[in-house]
Structure formats: structure tokens, C-alpha cells
Amino acid sequence: MSIDWDAEAATFDDEPDHGLRDAVVREAWAERLGDWLPQAPGDVLDLGCGTGSLSLLAAGRGHRVTAVDLSPNMVERAREKLSGHEAEVLVGDAAEPPVEGRRFDVILARHVLWTLPDLEATLRRWCGLLRRGGRLILIEGVWGTTNPAGIPASRLISALTPMTGRLHSERLSGDERLWGKRVEDERYAIVAHVAGPRRHKEVVDVHLILRRGEEVLLARRANTGYGDGLFNTPSGHVEPGEDVRMAVIREAKEEIGLDLTPEDVSAELVIQHRGPGGNPRIGWFFEATYGAGGEPFNAEPDKCDDLSWHRADALPDDMVAYCRAGLEAWRVGERFVLHWQEEGDAVGYEAGGAGRAVALGPRADG
């Protein structure tokens, strides 16, 4: 839907819930904002602020307000309303507000999201503008019955849930004071608290390169759902509370029955890997010499159907591509490698296929 908001600006405040000229309507919105906003004064970003009526209520509670609207005519009226308050009103797109480098305690948006084309992308961007512990106050609805427009509460909650922590919603349709009239359609508010910018997290893998002269021991995966039928080093994930060295010692025991000690293993390679269509992970490759910890055997026959020795310079083709890239890098002395597969790449190694391993240096030999 395309609306000329500049043309709407002259009469925008005639609606009771827009201009808040009626004392009852104004007090109803002031009460709601009092519940939703933090008690201590903070930085509030009002997006799609219109003529600034909600910004004015927030400023009146002592908050420092930055208001943004795409319409210069709306912005002009908002600046008039907020004159004398600690507030700044900017012309800009609510989806990409012109506040580069700034962070806020609250983002407030009323009847704005439904006009924007990409809901999830906009919400992610807004969450990124909040300080740790900040909150989104989103007032939305669905208007009309024949050709309804807007966003159902269930749709917005579903979009917010992966991005935020605690949230609650309130039905606003039943409070006639907010609208200056009786309304039958869906109107609601959602207050979503954001713990802070989500930190990037990666799974940590450990791999054991068990070396016998020029050969390394490989295990063929079976019944795991990933890379079955392909050779891999004995490997697994670091568990909570473990360091990487203890994790590789545990995996060696669980998979090939070795009783290794910390002195038996040495870190040889770190590789950041992303499988096709997957999430990034960090792999630590440790080396141990054959004979340390006993004789290897298949200790997990439900997950492995073959153990065999292979020359490091003549690895089999039927390998997990990630593991093969790690072994090839280790063989030539690389210590830090990036292995970033693309959508459509195979999990298994493909002879003559695209090489995804990039050495980040320096090598073991300097």
C-alpha cells in the first residue's frame, strides 16, 4: 500500500489516537507508555513518529527522544510539538534509521511495521540498535475485514521470538479510551526485551590425527546421519566444561579405545569450517603417535564400520571434505586454515572439485 504521508500530515492529528488532543485519549496513552517504558529516563528512538504525539509523551516522562519519520511534513509538525524538550527529529526511513553508531534503551513504533516490506530484516536491524537490556515497544494491528491490512499479533510474535528474550503482548482493541471510539478489529502492543546484541557462537570440534610413520588412522562413518560411508579422523564436539585437549582425549577413548594422556597429544592445526548450508564451526586437530594409549580398535561399531590406515600423501577420495582439507593442510605444515563451503557443495570430498581451503598462516616451519 502506497500512502502519501506528506499529504496526510495536515489532517493526521484529526484522528483522536494520532493528535491526542482529547484529554481522555492522551491520558490513556500516557498510562500505557508509563507501563511499557523504563522508569528511569533513557534514550528512546521513536520510528515512524508521525507528528510526534507519542514522542511528546515519552519526553514528558524525562526520556531523551530521537524521532524519525520519512515525511518532511510530519517531521516539521513533530519538531513543533517537541520544541522545548530534549528531543531530536530526523527525516529518514524507519526501516534504516539515520542514527549510525548510536544505541538506544527503547525503540518505539506505532502502526509502522505493517508499512515496511521486510519484517524480519527490519526487526533484526532494530534489535541491533538497542543497548543490552533494551526493549522494543511495538503497537500494531490488523485493520478492515474485506481487505484487511496490517500484521497479526501471532505473526509478529513469531518473528520476534528468535531475536529477543522476554516478551509480552497486550490486546488494545477493547480500550475505547485509546482510540476515542469503539473498535472491533485487532489492535495490540508487544513489548520485547533484548538481552543485547547476540554474540556469534560456534561449535568446537576436536580431531585426532593418529600417526603411524607416514600413515594416519581413519574411521568410516555409519548410521550417524552425516557423512555416512565417508572416512573421517576420530573426532567429536567439545562438551560443556571441557577444554579442547581433554575433549580429544575423551573422544579417542570413546571411538578407538585409546587411553591417552595430555602429554601424548599436541595441537597441530586450527581450522574454521562451514559446511554447505550449515553453520560455522572451529576444528582443533591434535596429533598422537601410534602406540600411545594402547592399540586402537573400533569402540563404536554402531557409528563406524571400518578403521584403516592410509598414507597421508595418498588419502582416499571417499572422505568428509572438511576432514580431508584439515589433513592436507596438516601434511604441508599449515597451522591456521579457513574451509568455507558454499551452498551446493558436497559434504564428501570431490576430486577436481572447487578447493575451499585457504591458508591463513604462518606455517609450522615459519
Side-chain angles (χ1 to χ4, degrees), residues 56 59-60 78-87:
L56 182 60
R79 285 174 177 161
E80 292 174 1
K81 280 186 186 178
L82 290 162
S83 176
H85 292 272
E86 190 172 356

Side-chain angles (χ1 to χ4, degrees), residues 342-353:
E342 297 180 2
E343 197 74 40
D345 285 355
V347 170
Y349 169 75
E350 292 182 321

Side-chain angles (χ1 to χ4, degrees), residues 97-104 128-129 131:
V99 291
E100 186 69 30
R102 297 168 61 185
R103 293 293 181 269
F104 299 86
L129 292 173
R131 296 188 177 111

Side-chain angles (χ1 to χ4, degrees), residues 170-181:
E170 295 182 22
R171 181 176 178 270
L172 303 181
S173 305
D175 190 347
E176 295 182 23
R177 300 178 308 146
L178 291 170
W179 317 107
K181 58 185 177 182

Side-chain angles (χ1 to χ4, degrees), residues 46 49-57 67 74 77-78 81-82:
D46 184 1
C49 67
T51 59
S53 296
L54 293 189
S55 289
L56 182 60
L57 291 180
M74 293 283 192
R77 285 163 171 77
K81 280 186 186 178
L82 290 162

Side-chain angles (χ1 to χ4, degrees), residues 93-117:
D93 186 352
E96 299 186 45
V99 291
E100 186 69 30
R102 297 168 61 185
R103 293 293 181 269
F104 299 86
D105 301 297
V106 177
I107 288 179
L108 170 65
R110 181 174 67 169
H111 302 168
V112 174
L113 277 170
W114 74 280
T115 69
L116 304 178

